[in-house]
Amino acid sequence: HKICQMATSASSSVTLPTPEQIKHAVQELKPQLIELLTSLVSYDTTLGNEASSNISSFVASVFQKMHLTTERQPILLDEIKSLKGYSPVDWSYDGKENVIGIHRPSLPSPSGKTILFNGHIDVVPTGPADLWKITKPFTPFVSDDGKLYGRGSGDMKGGVVSMMIAMMALRFLGFAPASQVTLCCVLEEECTGNGTLSSLHRGFSADVVLIPEPFPYITIAQLGVMWIQVTVIGRPAHVLNTSSGVNAIEASFKMVEALKQIEVDFNKCPSPLPEVYRGMSHPVNINLGKIKGGEWASSVPTECCFDVRIGIPPGFSLVKTKEKIEEILKTTAEKYQVKHRIDYNGFQAEGCVIDPHSPGIVCLDKAHKSIHNNTPPAYKALTCTTDARHYNLYYNTVATCYGPLAGNIHGLDEWVDLQSVADVASVYACFIADWCGLESI
């Protein structure tokens, strides 16, 4: 199935490029694709390093070369901390900024609709660099089988390149979108979503939003996620009489074990999960992600601090989740005679369900088929969160994820398939042609 070959732009009838022509243009741009992705992956954009990495300057320079109106927007906590969807933090936002590239047509299109591509350029920590076998985390490497390795290659700098190359391919063919297209590169998708929230507060939205996360399918739901940090205070003692003390580390493990009951409750039948999650054996997970405690091997530890990620079904409120957490931890702390403090720092993200029959997703389905020999895309629910929630829950805009094939995301030797990055760019270019219309340049 091919997208229609004729469209009326603001000025005249334009013969649209065929999917084959778009695929060919993207392949011609493959060297630029690899160069762009190699550059992006080389920037260390882990939490706290985003500003000093200077990646925003690089992205802005790319947007300017793409003939996009370019804005570098600082993320200001005072602007967003009272908004729905805000996640609290205890770190500085000095120097953090989103980078926005905007294409505006020469004349308003009478029928074209607007689109925003959202891609995050922050990445998760790498783990010990000496455990990476293929290459070091921020030294990109292209393998003989067409994979590019490096932290963030899959999640999600490969997808960011897909949305850039889609626009470049249309220009390569002599076209520009006949309605507004916005490319939004944001920070903190991996820990808060506050970057996207800031961009929305500044007015950057569209008729539909596509997010090229490393999911080679169309997403139709995602879980909520809550981060908590728990500090446990026991009672120190010499090991010659451990019974006189209260071990904060051992109590912490008991508290984590107790929190697992939330996971059990959310996954049991009948489940509070929406229908799209039925059939998954264990969609909701709790993860003990960090723990630190004790001072001396021969002393009963006084203090332990641990961080937990808790999955939450769509439609289940954050308030009720907090009530569950606080009751469980209070009961367990009393049982093991420790004091504790809970800090909500990072994700406070609600889940959402996305309408697969909305016009934007129908158009994306059509564009996918046009590039993949009429093979329909898969539709899946996510067991994680993405920035799509902000658009769907709070700004009345359909947003979905669809991106390249990747592996080992958040793990060692992360990679993205380069041909998949190109294929997603081709799908996005077809989507723009159909959704926005085109004008000749």
Side-chain angles (χ1 to χ4, degrees), residues 115 117 159 162-163 166 170 210-213 364 367 400-403 423-433:
I115 179 173
F117 293 98
S162 291
M163 66 193 201
L170 292 173
L210 299 183
I211 304 179
E213 291 277 11
L364 180 59
T400 189
C401 298
Y402 172 90
D423 289 343
V424 171
S426 296
V427 171
Y428 279 176
C430 285
F431 182 97
I432 293 167

Side-chain angles (χ1 to χ4, degrees), residues 91-421:
W91 53 78
S92 171
Y93 273 49
D94 289 349
K96 292 194 180 191
E97 55 187 8
N98 297 323
V99 186
I100 317 295
I102 307 166
H103 162 79
R104 295 184 176 92
S106 58
L107 292 172
S109 169
S111 59
K113 297 179 285 290
T114 62
I115 179 173
L116 183 145
F117 293 98
N118 173 302
H120 71 83
I121 49 177
D122 59 309
V123 300
V124 299
T126 64
D130 60 355
L131 295 181
W132 285 61
K133 301 303 182 185
I134 304 298
T135 188
K136 297 306 179 186
F138 300 107
T139 305
F141 174 78
V142 177
S143 63
D144 291 340
D145 61 350
K147 295 174 181 174
L148 189 145
Y149 287 81
R151 173 57 86 231
S153 56
D155 190 8
M156 61 165 283
K157 292 174 179 177
V160 169
V161 170
S162 291
M163 66 193 201
M164 292 173 170
I165 294 293
M167 292 288 285
M168 293 180 188
L170 292 173
R171 190 170 189 86
F172 180 89
L173 293 168
F175 298 100
S179 59
Q180 182 166 310
V181 176
T182 304
L183 275 61
C184 193
C185 287
V186 301
L187 296 178
E188 289 208 3
E189 188 277 343
E190 295 286 8
C191 54
T192 64
N194 288 342
T196 287
L197 189 62
S198 175
S199 73
L200 278 160
H201 178 70
R202 300 286 183 91
F204 295 104
S205 191
D207 293 320
V208 71
V209 174
L210 299 183
I211 304 179
E213 291 277 11
F215 311 126
Y217 44 80
I218 296 174
T219 63
I220 51 173
Q222 59 185 48
L223 293 182
V225 169
M226 181 177 289
W227 280 8
I228 65 169
Q229 184 178 83
V230 183
T231 303
V232 180
I233 305 297
R235 185 170 62 248
H238 194 290
V239 292
L240 62 84
N241 186 14
T242 56
S243 62
S244 67
V246 177
N247 191 309
I249 295 175
E250 292 179 356
S252 294
F253 281 111
K254 296 295 184 182
M255 296 171 91
V256 172
E257 183 180 348
L259 284 172
K260 289 282 187 175
Q261 186 58 48
I262 297 176
E263 181 180 273
V264 171
D265 291 343
F266 282 156
N267 285 303
K268 71 182 180 182
C269 293
S271 172
L273 287 160
E275 186 67 31
V276 290
Y277 286 95
R278 307 294 162 82
M280 292 188 186
S281 61
H282 200 279
V284 182
N285 295 288
I286 289 179
N287 182 61
L288 173 61
K290 290 171 59 180
I291 187 165
K292 181 180 180 181
E295 299 172 301
W296 196 251
S298 292
S299 298
V300 175
T302 311
E303 183 175 288
C304 183
C305 183
F306 63 91
D307 290 44
V308 173
R309 175 266 197 200
I310 298 170
I312 307 168
F316 199 89
S317 79
L318 299 180
V319 171
K320 288 184 178 179
T321 302
K322 286 183 177 180
E323 290 172 354
K324 278 178 167 279
I325 291 167
E326 290 168 6
E327 179 59 32
I328 288 171
L329 292 179
K330 179 176 180 290
T331 301
T332 310
E334 290 173 351
K335 180 178 179 180
Y336 292 99
Q337 300 179 333
V338 293
K339 298 178 181 179
H340 75 291
R341 184 184 76 246
I342 306 170
D343 292 304
Y344 297 94
N345 189 43
F347 278 129
Q348 303 293 302
E350 295 180 280
C352 66
V353 177
I354 304 161
D355 179 9
H357 305 295
S358 62
I361 293 182
V362 171
C363 188
L364 180 59
D365 183 292
K366 179 181 175 184
H368 174 95
K369 290 176 183 174
S370 72
I371 294 299
H372 293 281
N373 299 315
N374 210 33
T375 302
Y379 289 75
K380 295 185 181 182
L382 297 177
T383 57
C384 61
T385 188
T386 77
D387 281 350
R389 68 185 182 278
H390 291 304
Y391 300 96
N392 288 293
L393 291 174
Y394 313 123
Y395 289 86
N396 196 33
T397 301
V398 172
T400 189
C401 298
Y402 172 90
L405 176 67
N408 300 336
I409 60 173
H410 290 220
L412 305 175
D413 294 319
E414 179 180 353
W415 57 266
V416 69
D417 182 84
L418 290 169
Q419 186 55 49
S420 183
V421 174

